[in-house]
Amino acid sequence: MPSVATLPKSGAAGAQTAADAGILVVDGIVKQFDTPEGPLVAVDRVSLSVRPGEFLAVIGPSGCGKSTLFNVIGGLIDRYQGAVTVGGETVRGPHPAIGMVFQEESTFPWRTVIENVAFPLEIAGIARKERLEKAKRFIALVGLNGFENRYPAELSGGMRQRVAIARTLASEPKILLMDEPFASLDEQTRLLLGDKVLQIQQDLQQTTLLITHNITEAVQLADRILVMTYRPGRVKRMVEIDLPRPRSSDVVSSEAFGRYVAEIWSDLREEATRGMQDEESRTLHAGAAS
Amino acid sequence: MAEASRLNLPAAPNTGAKPRTVGRAEPVLVVRAVIIVFILLFWEAIAQSGLLYRDVVPSLLAIGAAIVKLLSAPDYYWHLWVTASEVGAGLIVGGLSGLLIGLALGGNRVLSKAFEPYLYYLGPTPKIIFFPVMIMWFGVGPGSKIAMGAISCFFPIALSTAAGMRQIDKVLIRVGQSFRASAWQMATKIYLPAMRHPIINGVRLGLGVAIIGTLLAETKLSNQGVGFLIIQAYSLFDMPRMYAMLIVLFVLAIGANALVGRLGGLSAIRQL
Ligand SMILES: Nc1ncnc2c1ncn2[C@@H]1O[C@H](COP(=O)(O)OP(=O)(O)OP(=O)(O)O)[C@@H](O)[C@H]1O
Ligand SMILES: [Mg+2]
């Protein structure tokens, strides 16, 4: 990666202006889908700049375009306006520095756990022995030792999600995009795994973007939180989380932590209410039409 | 799946590639054995009662003797080999073209809209109506039999390949892309393994109809092959021999089907 990695981590709150400082810069992204009911703007003029090694959480009501934004950044969607640059390089198609964990179930059912995790290494042409050893390490990291030779169908949903996380981690991306990776996990596993991911992130100085619906999780893990509006998905607010690390239980129970949670919660409630009203009027119209 | 039911194809098995529980198999085997024994007894009762002509319903003993005689005649194996190689060649020709056409239809919405309806209409049509044409094109020898086998298995294989390609979980494709897999890696490590169930299923159905198509053609016009032998036994009114050949054929067809299923099961477990 270019020299941007040496920039100081604690930046100003208005990071959009310091676009050149970002390892990942998203500039004026507009993505529109053609649907049977006409064009639908999923992402509307979203700009942000992510600092090297930063942990950015993305939060917003369901259907606001978070996954779409990630797919644009990951180079998996084309025909959008605006530009995404990674280390100054414009993204056209999947970028080698970016690793993605998808929201949907994404393990390969015909591969065992270890073969799943070794997949990116296999694609990169790493020798079998070496890639299996490396895969084992990442399987242990997500707490799945002993399940190496099981098929995904033999695992629980949460375990499969951990396989998907390990698989992306095994490719050791500089920038990690995770779309609700902990959604299907129980509270305890989620905390443990969140800690693990955070630890890896801090160790490797990995730039991480995490979509979540869990405000506490976002405040606990992130350096900044991007709050998005309900359709069309815009940047509602960028919240700098100015809390010390490591965020132990003292920090989590502190008053400052609670204030962040309350603040984001009120932002989100506004958007979620708007979303619900929108859905309701839509179904009412649909009902009246038929 | 809607496509499959129109053709009366059994639905592709679920992607969870787990073998059935072994404990369950035993009651099934018992039921199966009981039914078979019952049918045999019923058959023997009719044979002994003389309600129908003895020659039409020969006793099990006569059929058993005919099976032994059939299997000890080297001549039979030559005819079996002729039929098997015709079916095999038909399956290869029809299967490969079905796979290619299926991939094209599954991957391209316009092509699929334009041509797939014809496949659905032609699929259930008895292929024997093409036999006169095939004789004119490929002659009265094995060529026309291979062509009949190929036409028969082309349809189910093409249709299940196309349906299988459309059913691939899109997120798996995105996983491959995001790890920057090459086109070849996408094909061999994602598309093909993801489509293994519908393809194997198509090959199984294709094998069945290829056997039917080939045998039917042999019974119509030929001087070699198992279909020819069956028709010959029929015209000589050698019923025990005819039944013996039907039974042997039935067992062979089950064996071939099981073999294809087994190969599919293995390739599902081994990584491709
Ligand atoms: N391929 C597509 N074609 C048409 N519309 C789409 C497509 N993908 C997404 N959309 C629409 O775009 C909007 C945003 O979808 P997206 O999946 O990005 O939401 P999200 O914020 O990730 O929601 P969630 O939190 O529920 O996962 C939704 O209204 C969705 O219906
Ligand atoms: Mg989403």
Side-chain angles (χ1 to χ4, degrees), chain A residues 71 76 94-96 98 102 104-111 115 119-120 122-123 128 151 153-154 167-168 171, chain B residues 15-18 169 171-172 174-182 185 189-190 193-194 196 268-272:
Chain A
N71 283 331
L76 297 171
H95 193 280
I98 294 179
F102 294 94
E104 302 92 341
E105 185 87 51
S106 69
T107 51
F108 300 119
W110 59 87
R111 283 175 171 249
E115 288 164 356
F119 179 79
E122 190 178 323
I123 293 297
R128 185 178 167 81
Y151 283 89
E154 302 171 279
R167 182 177 60 192
T168 302
S171 70
Chain B
T15 36
K18 261 284 62 198
D169 200 349
V171 73
L172 300 183
R174 279 190 283 146
V175 170
Q177 289 171 337
S178 85
F179 288 128
R180 297 156 54 83
S182 66
Q185 287 171 326
K189 293 180 196 292
I190 295 187
R196 70 206 179 283
I269 289 171
R270 270 186 33 234
Q271 64 157 321
L272 274 162

Side-chain angles (χ1 to χ4, degrees), chain B residues 12 40 49 61 94 152 157 171 210 223 237 248 267:
Chain B
L40 291 179
S49 72
L61 215 62
S152 304
I157 293 177
V171 73
N223 52 12
F237 217 70
V248 171
S267 72

Side-chain angles (χ1 to χ4, degrees), chain A residues 66-68 103 179-180 211:
Chain A
K66 305 181 292 295
S67 299
T68 307
Q103 181 172 17
D179 195 345
E180 295 190 45
I211 294 177

Side-chain angles (χ1 to χ4, degrees), chain B residues 200 204 255-267:
Chain B
I200 293 296
R204 270 170 106 149
N257 203 335
L259 193 70
V260 174
R262 175 69 66 86
L263 289 177
L266 280 182
S267 72

Side-chain angles (χ1 to χ4, degrees), chain B residues 221-264:
Chain B
L221 180 68
S222 70
N223 52 12
Q224 54 183 10
V226 178
F228 163 72
L229 287 185
I230 290 174
I231 267 314
Q232 195 187 41
Y234 172 75
S235 54
L236 296 173
F237 217 70
D238 190 350
M239 286 302 144
R241 180 174 160 82
M242 196 186 86
Y243 285 118
M245 282 193 285
L246 292 182
I247 289 170
V248 171
L249 203 59
F250 186 58
V251 170
L252 287 176
I254 291 178
N257 203 335
L259 193 70
V260 174
R262 175 69 66 86
L263 289 177

